Amino acid sequence: MTLTITKPTTALYTIYIEKQTNVLHIKNSEASFSAEIYLDQGASLQSLKFGNHHIIQNMAPLSYNKTYASSILFPFANRIKDGNYQFEGNTYSVETNVPEENNALHGFVYDKTFDVEKTSVSKDSATVSLVYTEETPPFGFPYAYTVRLKYVFKPNSLSLTLEITNLSDKKFPFTLGWHPYFVSSDLHNSEIVFNSKEKLILDDRKITTGTSQLKDNPSLKIQDKQFDDCWILSTDEVLFKTPNYNLKFNATGHNNFLQIYTPPRKNTIAIEPTTGIPDSFNNKIGLETLSPGDIHAITWQVQLTDN
């Protein structure tokens, strides 16, 4: 693919594709900003640097098909128990890709190749629009759809808009999610602050079995704890506080849940906004439907703030 960018002479951002790897690079040397989007890995954001802060780094030596790093989660975020669900009187089975749990995990677009639809740059921002169309869907989710992503980068912020279009002649169920991992210079002394009154109870297969009530809004001090947990958010705002920087997360929409996961990688944590919970296709919590020809969009925002 040849990508030609026309930009005004005042623009500080550059966008180019590394042809051998099909990686999209976005840079602003004056602001010490850089980002990398892996088009062959679901258009996932594998690197993000704001000034002196490496916010997102490549997860190597951990493999992408184990971490789902920065992947877009559609048509289901998190898990479907045994890969089985019912919708409008029909029973469907999707491939289980977590053998030790016998669950289906994180949908179907995380490993697809996205095309560059449009790019634009200005003095203050860079915008990248990417697209993937599924015309031969799997047996267990027999619906055609288009996924569009719009990344808008600024020196201290990122917004990611995910837009789903139903190309089928029937409505389909869905939840959405984003699976970024963030880096702290000292995760032990970092914390995550958010508003929630309920935490999910998960079984040993990470499937929802109920909820527990919280007395106070969580302020999770990471320390040496290991997380693979989900909360029902009362508001869309989440704050990640590290010794060197703070990140504020916001999301549009009315279904807001938060999954937190600590991988086997030092000083790294997944902070995942989702619109549904584990096994939403069966318990229906956060589950939505999209009618033929309709479009659904959500925007996630990440803002670097002062300590």
Side-chain angles (χ1 to χ4, degrees), residues 7 10-16 25-35 49-51 121-126 153-156:
K7 63 189 179 89
T10 57
L12 300 177
Y13 287 87
T14 58
I15 303 173
Y16 65 92
H25 295 262
I26 304 95
K27 293 186 176 182
N28 181 333
S29 57
E30 186 168 316
S32 298
F33 169 91
S34 64
K49 181 174 178 284
F50 290 142
V121 294
S122 70
K123 182 179 179 180
D124 301 317
S125 66
F153 299 99
K154 295 183 179 180
N156 292 316

Side-chain angles (χ1 to χ4, degrees), residues 136-182:
T136 57
F139 178 78
F141 191 78
Y143 312 97
Y145 53 83
T146 292
V147 179
R148 280 188 169 83
L149 305 178
K150 184 172 77 171
Y151 289 92
V152 180
F153 299 99
K154 295 183 179 180
N156 292 316
S157 69
L158 156 70
S159 73
L160 169 56
T161 298
L162 167 59
E163 181 185 279
I164 307 297
T165 304
N166 185 349
L167 303 179
S168 299
D169 58 1
K170 296 180 181 179
K171 68 179 180 181
F172 59 65
F174 72 97
T175 61
L176 304 172
W178 182 35
H179 200 307
Y181 289 81
F182 297 93

Side-chain angles (χ1 to χ4, degrees), residues 102-119:
N102 195 41
N103 294 324
L105 181 66
H106 290 339
F108 306 129
V109 301
Y110 62 85
D111 60 351
K112 304 304 183 185
T113 295
F114 278 68
D115 293 322
V116 179
E117 192 171 45
K118 183 180 178 182
T119 67

